[in-house]
Amino acid sequence: MDNLTKIVEQQLKRKGFDGRSRKGPYGEEYLAISVVAMVEAVQVLKKTAGVVLIGLWAVENFGMPGFTLFYCFERRGTATLLLLEVHLVDNRALSIARDFPVANYFQREVTDGFGLQFDGAFDNRRLLLHESYPDNFHPLRKSFDGHAIEPVNVTPEREYCFRQFQGEGIYQVPVGPVHAGIIESGHFRFSVIGETVFNLEIRHFWKYRGLEKLAENKKPDQVIKLAETISGDESAANACAFAMAVEYISGVSVPRRAWKLRTVLLELERIYSHLGDLGGMAVDVAYPVGAAPFYILREQVLRWNAALTGSRFLKGVIIPGGLERDIPDVKLKELLVYIEEFKIPFDEALKGIYDSAWVIDRLETTGVVSPTLIPALNLTGPTARASGACIDTRIDHPYGIYGEIKPEIITDGDGDVLSRFKVKAGEIGDSLRLICDAVNIEADEPVKAVCQPKDGYAITLIEAARGQSVQWVYIKDGLIDRWKIRTASFCNWLAIEHAVIGNIVPDFPVINKSLNLSYAGNDL
């Protein structure tokens, strides 16, 4: 841990503010300060190189009546995690979105969920709750018991206010929330001059399920199943992140064999996710022949998932304390044989793309994500690495055995669709290596440790296929009191509003697929 907490504490002390820091079980630092001191702390953090806001959430009755806000800051490229803990006295806080722009999105989420207000916020529109939800309804408050609510009549005055543009030749193209084919709900409002997009505004949360609320007053063993439903193709990563939080709180040491097998599953999940993306990008530039080999390989990996765990999407196997059941060594050896067989058709499929000049022409310079957006919007995963960011949670905050079998950070500097294609292709190759390294680790002990939940709280970070996901778990009287989820998609969706600018509307599908963001993982 570097001295980021000390820097903030010393500055607050010089200004006459009190600040009490403590260490959490994940190694994170908590610093409890007042709302007024928060202004000074934010200025210090803004001026400190590499500091990014990666989360902001509210907790009700955390040690005292009322609401407490947690602002989670990461110092990129280090193990530093600082959580500013701010107890509110009147349900109001100060907006920090002008210093950390992604805070705007977090603040709108908190306002909808808890009814807290952020003074100085430049965007107070609803986020989670669409127009049909009644006023003064805040589903994450303890006072809401989950009963059915009556939708209100949506008048023109209640309708969501999209950004408006006027001028000769300007028109709008609304897409969604209902789409052709099998796809989740999302609305995209393009503003266009001629064929060129000059603004895009997205609107999600059409399928807001209230997962965080559903977890309240449930046992951790029950909530692990909810974690698997955050986003179906991130079941292993999200279940693992939740299990890690419970393990940290309870002081449980996960058996080495369990971490060996968890690593295999996490990397298999990354592989099949990226394979779908590579095939999807080829389809979206009208090259289904080039896409087919990737889809064939993806199906093979899904079948391997089922053979190893009984679930194509790796559900029902990762639990607090380790794994629900072991995977026989003979199966792991067979997996190593398959990995060698996998490499030949995979390399041939990549060659088929790279040798197709017209495909490269569609991918290159399309949908550029500027590196300047990475810290401002907290972009992570392949989206950030394809724009030159050398970040990976498996390295910056290593968990399990990733400290031993270090991943290679695959980067590219152009930030376009082709860069994201190359990064994901490279990560598939590295995941194959990591699986082999994990399988070859000698570990014969049981795969499950007794995990008796204890009261407390912990944060965990994990590198899912789409990027960094964050979970914060608070256990009280043996039950989940608060569960905060922030998937990589929540922040990465903001990148697409910038990536499409200067492109044409027909390029949107391939830009969207290259980012491969989860609707369900965003809407929760």
Side-chain angles (χ1 to χ4, degrees):
M1 178 73 68
D2 65 14
N3 61 355
L4 182 62
T5 303
K6 185 180 293 186
I7 292 172
V8 176
E9 281 185 305
Q10 290 175 345
Q11 179 64 16
L12 293 179
K13 187 175 181 179
R14 282 194 290 267
K15 295 290 185 176
F17 296 113
D18 290 327
R20 302 177 304 280
S21 65
R22 63 190 186 279
K23 200 163 191 174
Y26 187 67
E28 73 274 27
E29 295 273 356
Y30 291 84
L31 180 59
I33 59 176
S34 67
V35 174
V36 179
M38 180 68 187
V39 178
E40 188 65 33
V42 166
Q43 292 309 305
V44 175
L45 292 167
K46 178 184 177 182
K47 296 173 183 176
T48 304
V51 173
V52 179
L53 178 68
I54 67 170
L56 163 57
W57 61 91
V59 183
E60 189 172 357
N61 301 332
F62 183 75
M64 63 182 78
F67 295 95
T68 300
L69 292 176
F70 287 88
Y71 298 77
C72 184
F73 294 90
E74 177 188 16
R75 195 170 193 179
R76 289 277 166 86
T78 75
T80 299
L81 280 181
L82 171 61
L83 287 89
L84 297 181
E85 178 185 325
V86 182
H87 182 72
L88 306 183
V89 294
D90 58 358
N91 294 351
R92 304 191 75 86
L94 298 174
S95 172
I96 66 169
R98 298 189 187 279
D99 297 307
F100 293 93
V102 74
N104 171 64
Y105 216 44
F106 293 137
Q107 290 169 181
R108 291 169 65 192
E109 181 188 32
V110 169
T111 296
D112 279 2
F114 290 91
L116 309 182
Q117 300 300 315
F118 291 87
D119 296 333
F122 55 79
D123 188 351
N124 292 308
R125 294 174 298 173
R126 288 187 173 193
L127 188 70
L128 305 181
L129 306 179
H130 285 213
E131 301 92 314
S132 58
Y133 285 98
D135 295 332
N136 301 316
F137 169 69
H138 304 291
L140 294 181
R141 286 196 170 196
K142 298 296 185 186
S143 56
F144 177 60
D145 60 5
H147 67 271
I149 58 171
E150 288 294 327
V152 300
N153 183 41
V154 179
T155 62
E157 293 75 22
R158 293 183 67 88
E159 289 183 359
Y160 188 81
C161 183
F162 287 93
R163 291 188 289 268
Q164 298 297 314
F165 300 92
Q166 294 181 341
E168 185 177 353
I170 293 176
Y171 62 98
Q172 289 189 329
V173 180
V175 178
V178 179
H179 301 275
I182 301 173
I183 187 173
E184 293 171 290
S185 304
H187 180 76
F188 304 88
R189 184 71 60 95
F190 298 87
S191 295
V192 183
I193 298 178
E195 293 186 345
T196 303
V197 178
F198 71 89
N199 185 75
L200 168 64
E201 190 168 2
I202 61 173
R203 193 182 189 201
H204 288 330
F205 301 97
W206 303 88
K207 297 294 176 64
Y208 175 60
R209 296 163 288 165
L211 290 180
E212 294 175 351
K213 185 68 177 183
L214 286 172
E216 286 185 7
N217 299 315
K218 287 184 172 61
K219 296 179 180 179
D221 287 348
Q222 296 172 298
V223 178
I224 192 74
K225 298 184 184 303
L226 288 178
E228 292 177 336
T229 68
I230 292 171
S231 183
D233 56 358
E234 292 179 348
S235 296
N238 290 322
C240 190
F242 177 80
M244 286 165 56
V246 176
E247 290 155 4
Y248 282 122
I249 294 168
S250 306
V252 171
S253 179
V254 176
R256 184 170 171 81
R257 181 172 179 84
W259 264 118
K260 163 182 173 172
L261 298 178
R262 279 183 177 182
T263 304
V264 171
L265 302 183
L266 291 169
E267 296 306 320
L268 283 172
E269 185 170 76
R270 194 179 322 278
I271 289 170
Y272 84 71
S273 177
H274 286 355
L275 285 169
D277 297 347
L278 301 185
M281 284 183 259
V283 166
D284 284 339
V285 295
Y287 191 37
V289 172
F294 296 115
Y295 287 138
I296 291 171
L297 291 171
R298 181 179 184 271
E299 174 60 25
Q300 291 174 357
V301 174
L302 290 173
R303 293 182 183 186
W304 268 103
N305 291 348
L308 296 172
T309 69
S311 168
R312 286 166 60 88
F313 293 95
L314 305 173
K315 295 186 176 184
V317 62
I318 296 177
I319 60 171
L323 297 184
E324 182 63 46
R325 53 193 172 275
D326 201 352
I327 299 175
D329 285 335
V330 64
K331 282 289 185 184
L332 297 176
K333 291 178 181 177
E334 291 172 0
L335 176 62
L336 295 184
V337 173
Y338 168 71
I339 285 176
E340 291 304 314
E341 296 171 349
F342 175 101
K343 294 176 181 178
I344 296 174
F346 179 63
D347 289 343
E348 290 176 350
L350 290 178
K351 187 176 185 299
I353 297 294
Y354 295 141
D355 287 350
S356 300
W358 64 274
V359 174
I360 299 301
D361 182 63
R362 286 294 308 277
L363 305 185
E364 198 170 27
T365 72
T366 300
V368 174
V369 174
S370 169
T372 59
L373 296 173
I374 294 171
L377 301 181
N378 184 37
L379 307 182
T380 60
T383 298
R385 291 190 283 272
S387 294
C390 193
I391 55 174
D392 190 313
T393 305
R394 296 171 296 174
I395 291 179
D396 298 335
H397 307 276
Y399 45 92
I401 60 173
Y402 282 114
E404 302 173 43
I405 54 168
K406 296 183 183 297
E408 179 185 354
I409 300 183
I410 312 293
T411 63
D412 198 282
D414 293 332
D416 55 11
V417 173
L418 181 59
S419 290
R420 292 187 283 277
F421 186 98
K422 290 178 179 178
V423 166
K424 292 182 179 186
E427 290 187 359
I428 289 173
D430 194 53
S431 289
L432 295 172
R433 176 188 64 83
L434 291 172
I435 291 172
C436 294
D437 289 349
V439 169
N440 288 325
I441 288 177
E442 292 294 334
D444 298 323
E445 69 269 43
V447 296
K448 185 192 309 184
V450 176
C451 186
Q452 185 62 38
K454 296 180 181 179
D455 288 358
Y457 49 90
I459 190 171
T460 55
L461 279 62
I462 200 164
E463 187 73 17
R466 294 180 175 94
Q468 182 194 80
S469 290
V470 177
Q471 293 192 34
W472 188 82
V473 177
Y474 176 32
I475 300 177
K476 185 177 179 181
D477 299 327
L479 303 175
I480 301 297
D481 186 82
R482 179 76 169 99
W483 180 32
K484 175 57 196 167
I485 311 157
R486 195 235 72 206
T487 67
S489 292
F490 186 83
C491 296
N492 285 355
W493 268 116
L494 300 173
I496 200 169
E497 293 188 334
H498 300 268
V500 301
I501 294 175
N503 293 267
I504 60 176
V505 174
D507 280 336
F508 172 73
V510 72
I511 297 172
N512 192 12
K513 175 49 67 175
S514 73
L515 296 168
N516 183 29
L517 305 170
S518 172
Y519 296 85
N522 178 81
D523 293 2
L524 300 181

